[in-house]
Amino acid sequence: MSKQEVEVLGGADACCPGLLTAPLDADQAVELAKVFKALGDPIRLRLLSMIASRAGGEVCVCDLTPAFDLSQPTISHHLKLLRQAGLIDCERRGTWVYYWLLPEMTDRLAGILARPAGQPLPERPAEAGAAS
């Protein structure tokens, strides 16, 4: 596992075009790759899903840890990477830490991946030798 730090993408005014409307520039691709890298691990993806789907909008780490056959420090490491990617945030309350989704980032990712409403997909070139 890489020990690279994942930095939070720019604030609300930082904008990337949708992938189907304009190509990403190099800087945008680097920044988005950091978020997708955080999501590229099955444990982190499950943690994000558990946090995002929790009634009340937040979940205690004490409720997350039993769902995995991993040590508490390993779970904390995965949560730290999700936090650094700007996908979740947390607050310590006494002994426990509570986590919640940052919908701005998931909305941003959805906007980047979504096709603008009502617009058709670009036409694919016909394959050589394809029957009509």
Side-chain angles (χ1 to χ4, degrees), residues 88-112:
I88 62 173
D89 204 356
C90 66
E91 175 182 78
R92 178 172 293 280
R93 298 180 197 153
T95 306
W96 301 110
V97 179
Y98 289 79
Y99 291 88
W100 59 88
L101 178 73
L102 293 176
E104 302 83 16
M105 181 58 76
T106 54
D107 291 350
R108 182 174 176 208
L109 293 175
I112 290 165

CSV table of all heavy atoms in Angstrom, one decimal, residues 88-112:
chain,number,residue,atom,x,y,z
A,88,ILE,N,-15.5,12.0,3.3
A,88,ILE,CA,-16.1,12.0,4.6
A,88,ILE,C,-15.4,13.0,5.5
A,88,ILE,O,-14.3,13.5,5.3
A,88,ILE,CB,-16.1,10.6,5.2
A,88,ILE,CG1,-14.6,10.1,5.5
A,88,ILE,CG2,-16.8,9.6,4.4
A,88,ILE,CD1,-14.5,8.8,6.3
A,89,ASP,N,-16.1,13.2,6.6
A,89,ASP,CA,-15.5,14.0,7.7
A,89,ASP,C,-15.9,13.4,9.0
A,89,ASP,O,-16.7,12.4,9.1
A,89,ASP,CB,-16.0,15.5,7.7
A,89,ASP,CG,-15.0,16.4,8.3
A,89,ASP,OD1,-14.0,16.0,8.9
A,89,ASP,OD2,-15.3,17.7,8.3
A,90,CYS,N,-15.3,13.8,10.1
A,90,CYS,CA,-15.5,13.2,11.4
A,90,CYS,C,-15.3,14.2,12.5
A,90,CYS,O,-14.9,15.3,12.4
A,90,CYS,CB,-14.5,12.0,11.6
A,90,CYS,SG,-12.8,12.6,11.7
A,91,GLU,N,-15.8,13.7,13.7
A,91,GLU,CA,-15.7,14.5,14.9
A,91,GLU,C,-15.5,13.5,16.1
A,91,GLU,O,-16.2,12.5,16.2
A,91,GLU,CB,-17.0,15.3,15.1
A,91,GLU,CG,-17.0,16.1,16.4
A,91,GLU,CD,-18.3,16.8,16.5
A,91,GLU,OE1,-19.4,16.2,16.9
A,91,GLU,OE2,-18.3,18.0,16.3
A,92,ARG,N,-14.6,13.8,17.0
A,92,ARG,CA,-14.4,13.0,18.2
A,92,ARG,C,-15.4,13.5,19.2
A,92,ARG,O,-15.5,14.6,19.5
A,92,ARG,CB,-13.0,13.1,18.7
A,92,ARG,CG,-12.7,12.3,20.0
A,92,ARG,CD,-11.3,12.3,20.4
A,92,ARG,NE,-10.5,11.5,19.5
A,92,ARG,CZ,-10.4,10.2,19.4
A,92,ARG,NH1,-11.1,9.5,20.3
A,92,ARG,NH2,-9.6,9.6,18.6
A,93,ARG,N,-16.0,12.5,19.8
A,93,ARG,CA,-17.0,12.7,21.0
A,93,ARG,C,-16.6,11.8,22.1
A,93,ARG,O,-17.0,10.6,22.0
A,93,ARG,CB,-18.4,12.6,20.5
A,93,ARG,CG,-18.8,13.5,19.4
A,93,ARG,CD,-20.2,13.3,19.0
A,93,ARG,NE,-20.5,14.0,17.8
A,93,ARG,CZ,-21.4,13.6,16.9
A,93,ARG,NH1,-22.2,12.6,17.2
A,93,ARG,NH2,-21.5,14.2,15.7
A,94,GLY,N,-15.9,12.3,23.0
A,94,GLY,CA,-15.4,11.4,24.1
A,94,GLY,C,-14.4,10.4,23.6
A,94,GLY,O,-13.4,10.7,22.9
A,95,THR,N,-14.7,9.1,23.8
A,95,THR,CA,-13.9,8.0,23.3
A,95,THR,C,-14.0,7.7,21.9
A,95,THR,O,-13.1,7.2,21.2
A,95,THR,CB,-14.2,6.7,24.1
A,95,THR,OG1,-14.2,7.0,25.5
A,95,THR,CG2,-13.3,5.6,23.8
A,96,TRP,N,-15.2,8.0,21.3
A,96,TRP,CA,-15.5,7.6,19.9
A,96,TRP,C,-15.4,8.7,18.9
A,96,TRP,O,-15.5,9.9,19.2
A,96,TRP,CB,-16.9,7.0,19.9
A,96,TRP,CG,-17.1,5.8,20.8
A,96,TRP,CD1,-17.8,5.8,22.0
A,96,TRP,CD2,-16.4,4.5,20.7
A,96,TRP,NE1,-17.6,4.5,22.6
A,96,TRP,CE2,-16.8,3.8,21.8
A,96,TRP,CE3,-15.6,4.0,19.8
A,96,TRP,CZ2,-16.4,2.5,22.0
A,96,TRP,CZ3,-15.2,2.7,19.9
A,96,TRP,CH2,-15.6,1.9,21.0
A,97,VAL,N,-15.2,8.3,17.7
A,97,VAL,CA,-15.2,9.2,16.5
A,97,VAL,C,-16.4,8.9,15.7
A,97,VAL,O,-16.7,7.7,15.4
A,97,VAL,CB,-13.9,9.0,15.7
A,97,VAL,CG1,-13.9,10.0,14.5
A,97,VAL,CG2,-12.7,9.3,16.6
A,98,TYR,N,-17.1,9.9,15.3
A,98,TYR,CA,-18.3,9.8,14.4
A,98,TYR,C,-18.0,10.3,13.0
A,98,TYR,O,-17.3,11.3,12.9
A,98,TYR,CB,-19.5,10.6,15.0
A,98,TYR,CG,-20.0,9.9,16.3
A,98,TYR,CD1,-19.4,10.1,17.5
A,98,TYR,CD2,-21.1,9.1,16.2
A,98,TYR,CE1,-19.8,9.4,18.6
A,98,TYR,CE2,-21.6,8.5,17.3
A,98,TYR,CZ,-21.0,8.6,18.5
A,98,TYR,OH,-21.4,8.0,19.7
A,99,TYR,N,-18.5,9.6,12.0
A,99,TYR,CA,-18.2,9.9,10.6
A,99,TYR,C,-19.5,10.2,9.9
A,99,TYR,O,-20.5,9.7,10.2
A,99,TYR,CB,-17.5,8.7,9.9
A,99,TYR,CG,-16.1,8.5,10.5
A,99,TYR,CD1,-15.9,7.7,11.6
A,99,TYR,CD2,-15.0,9.1,9.9
A,99,TYR,CE1,-14.6,7.5,12.1
A,99,TYR,CE2,-13.7,8.9,10.4
A,99,TYR,CZ,-13.5,8.1,11.5
A,99,TYR,OH,-12.3,7.9,12.0
A,100,TRP,N,-19.4,11.1,8.9
A,100,TRP,CA,-20.5,11.4,8.0
A,100,TRP,C,-20.0,11.7,6.6
A,100,TRP,O,-18.8,12.0,6.4
A,100,TRP,CB,-21.3,12.6,8.5
A,100,TRP,CG,-20.5,13.8,8.7
A,100,TRP,CD1,-20.3,14.8,7.8
A,100,TRP,CD2,-19.9,14.3,9.9
A,100,TRP,NE1,-19.5,15.8,8.3
A,100,TRP,CE2,-19.3,15.5,9.6
A,100,TRP,CE3,-19.7,13.7,11.1
A,100,TRP,CZ2,-18.5,16.2,10.5
A,100,TRP,CZ3,-19.0,14.4,12.1
A,100,TRP,CH2,-18.4,15.7,11.8
A,101,LEU,N,-20.8,11.5,5.6
A,101,LEU,CA,-20.5,11.7,4.2
A,101,LEU,C,-20.5,13.2,3.9
A,101,LEU,O,-21.2,14.0,4.5
A,101,LEU,CB,-21.6,11.1,3.3
A,101,LEU,CG,-21.5,11.3,1.8
A,101,LEU,CD1,-20.4,10.3,1.3
A,101,LEU,CD2,-22.8,10.9,1.2
A,102,LEU,N,-19.6,13.6,3.0
A,102,LEU,CA,-19.5,14.9,2.5
A,102,LEU,C,-20.1,14.9,1.1
A,102,LEU,O,-19.5,14.5,0.1
A,102,LEU,CB,-18.1,15.5,2.4
A,102,LEU,CG,-17.4,15.7,3.8
A,102,LEU,CD1,-16.0,16.1,3.6
A,102,LEU,CD2,-18.2,16.7,4.6
A,103,PRO,N,-21.4,15.2,1.0
A,103,PRO,CA,-22.1,15.0,-0.3
A,103,PRO,C,-21.6,15.9,-1.4
A,103,PRO,O,-21.8,15.6,-2.6
A,103,PRO,CB,-23.6,15.3,0.0
A,103,PRO,CG,-23.6,16.1,1.3
A,103,PRO,CD,-22.3,15.7,2.0
A,104,GLU,N,-20.9,16.9,-1.1
A,104,GLU,CA,-20.4,17.8,-2.1
A,104,GLU,C,-19.4,17.0,-3.0
A,104,GLU,O,-19.4,17.2,-4.3
A,104,GLU,CB,-19.6,19.0,-1.5
A,104,GLU,CG,-20.4,19.9,-0.6
A,104,GLU,CD,-20.5,19.4,0.8
A,104,GLU,OE1,-19.7,18.5,1.2
A,104,GLU,OE2,-21.4,19.8,1.5
A,105,MET,N,-18.6,16.2,-2.5
A,105,MET,CA,-17.7,15.4,-3.3
A,105,MET,C,-18.4,14.3,-4.1
A,105,MET,O,-18.1,14.2,-5.2
A,105,MET,CB,-16.6,14.8,-2.4
A,105,MET,CG,-15.5,14.0,-3.2
A,105,MET,SD,-14.7,15.0,-4.5
A,105,MET,CE,-13.6,15.9,-3.5
A,106,THR,N,-19.3,13.6,-3.5
A,106,THR,CA,-20.0,12.6,-4.2
A,106,THR,C,-20.8,13.2,-5.3
A,106,THR,O,-20.9,12.6,-6.4
A,106,THR,CB,-20.8,11.6,-3.3
A,106,THR,OG1,-21.7,12.4,-2.5
A,106,THR,CG2,-19.9,10.8,-2.4
A,107,ASP,N,-21.4,14.3,-5.1
A,107,ASP,CA,-22.2,15.0,-6.1
A,107,ASP,C,-21.3,15.5,-7.2
A,107,ASP,O,-21.6,15.4,-8.4
A,107,ASP,CB,-22.9,16.3,-5.5
A,107,ASP,CG,-24.0,15.9,-4.6
A,107,ASP,OD1,-24.4,14.7,-4.5
A,107,ASP,OD2,-24.5,16.8,-3.9
A,108,ARG,N,-20.1,15.9,-6.9
A,108,ARG,CA,-19.1,16.4,-7.9
A,108,ARG,C,-18.7,15.2,-8.7
A,108,ARG,O,-18.6,15.3,-10.0
A,108,ARG,CB,-17.9,17.0,-7.2
A,108,ARG,CG,-16.9,17.5,-8.1
A,108,ARG,CD,-15.8,18.2,-7.4
A,108,ARG,NE,-14.8,18.7,-8.4
A,108,ARG,CZ,-13.5,18.8,-8.1
A,108,ARG,NH1,-13.1,18.7,-6.9
A,108,ARG,NH2,-12.7,19.2,-9.0
A,109,LEU,N,-18.4,14.1,-8.1
A,109,LEU,CA,-18.1,12.9,-8.9
A,109,LEU,C,-19.2,12.4,-9.8
A,109,LEU,O,-19.0,12.1,-11.0
A,109,LEU,CB,-17.7,11.7,-7.9
A,109,LEU,CG,-16.4,11.9,-7.2
A,109,LEU,CD1,-16.2,10.8,-6.2
A,109,LEU,CD2,-15.2,12.1,-8.1
A,110,ALA,N,-20.4,12.5,-9.3
A,110,ALA,CA,-21.6,12.1,-10.1
A,110,ALA,C,-21.7,13.0,-11.3
A,110,ALA,O,-22.0,12.6,-12.4
A,110,ALA,CB,-22.8,12.1,-9.3
A,111,GLY,N,-21.5,14.3,-11.1
A,111,GLY,CA,-21.5,15.3,-12.2
A,111,GLY,C,-20.5,15.1,-13.2
A,111,GLY,O,-20.7,15.3,-14.4
A,112,ILE,N,-19.3,14.7,-12.8
A,112,ILE,CA,-18.2,14.4,-13.7
A,112,ILE,C,-18.5,13.2,-14.6
A,112,ILE,O,-18.2,13.2,-15.8
A,112,ILE,CB,-16.9,14.3,-13.0
A,112,ILE,CG1,-16.5,15.6,-12.4
A,112,ILE,CG2,-15.8,13.7,-13.9
A,112,ILE,CD1,-15.4,15.5,-11.4
